[in-house]
Amino acid sequence: MLIRIPAAEGTAEALVARPSSGDGPFPGVIMYMDAFGLRPRIQEMAQHVADWGYVVLAPNVFYREGTVAELAPKADMTTPEGRQAAGRPAFARIGRLTAERALRDIDAWVAAVGALDGVQPGPIGTVGYCMGARLAIRTATAHPEVVAACGGFHGGGLATDEPDSPHLGLARARAQFVFGHADRDPSMAPDAVARLGAALEAAGLTASNQVYPGAPHGYSMADTSAFNPEATERHFRELRALLDGALKG
């Protein structure tokens, strides 16, 4: 289901997924999409998580650039050529979503998930894919009082030399973290994985920071040529253990 919610610079669409069965209320989870935006695959993934017993909000973080329909990939991303074609405008949008803009929006996403019908008061979880993993970390570090679980999968740019690198805020976080990195990913090279791990350890956080062998960047996205079923299933297992342990414990 698509809803409209107030964001920092306008109105944003967002997907909401609810459990197919069971009586609420349920913990809330913010799911951050990858660079290719809200589309049926993100809806499938949100519903998969919702059916574990969560209400999932997946916002269109590119709302400044257009609606969900306007930004939907037009190419067949199941081929490398199609994925590359869809990536060119998507990656330009990533560059325009600065850390400052993202943080103002994150306040809105946190408020929105807490206000959804059927969401229980208390801690929430967040998970992000590709560039969405950066947003998930920023959510956990900007709202440590409410974010108890944070997952990031095939994320890029999580621990860089830039002054606004997401990993630099981890000392403020109180969440449990799980990261499943793509193998040989230039956007998250071994030195960046090690830097992220060191920041998690220095902050005293409970965390898993693993590289999935043989899994390419984008491995969870079944509508693209990067899809890897084994890595996708592993990520779902680890994400469910994280959310259940932190939010249902």
Side-chain angles (χ1 to χ4, degrees), residues 126 135-144 147 150 172-175 177:
T126 183
L135 301 178
I137 296 175
R138 294 194 195 282
T139 303
T141 57
H143 291 272
V147 179
C150 178
R172 298 190 297 272
R174 291 184 236 157
F177 288 81

Side-chain angles (χ1 to χ4, degrees), residues 12 46 100 164 177 179 187 217 246:
E100 180 183 2
D164 60 357
F177 288 81
F179 294 100
S187 71
H217 183 82

Side-chain angles (χ1 to χ4, degrees), residues 91-102:
F91 297 147
R93 290 193 287 268
I94 291 174
R96 293 189 288 270
L97 184 60
T98 63
E100 180 183 2
R101 281 180 163 179

Side-chain angles (χ1 to χ4, degrees), residues 4-13 60 63-64 104-105 108-109:
R4 295 169 67 82
I5 56 178
E9 295 182 47
T11 300
E13 294 166 294
N60 174 21
Y63 69 93
R64 295 175 181 85
R104 285 188 280 128
D105 288 335
W109 313 145

Side-chain angles (χ1 to χ4, degrees), residues 96-122:
R96 293 189 288 270
L97 184 60
T98 63
E100 180 183 2
R101 281 180 163 179
L103 285 168
R104 285 188 280 128
D105 288 335
I106 282 166
D107 294 342
W109 313 145
V110 170
V113 73
L116 290 174
D117 290 342
V119 171
Q120 69 184 32

Side-chain angles (χ1 to χ4, degrees), residues 152-180:
F153 299 95
H154 50 83
L158 307 184
T160 72
D161 294 325
E162 297 300 317
D164 60 357
S165 176
H167 80 290
L168 295 176
L170 285 170
R172 298 190 297 272
R174 291 184 236 157
Q176 298 177 41
F177 288 81
V178 169
F179 294 100

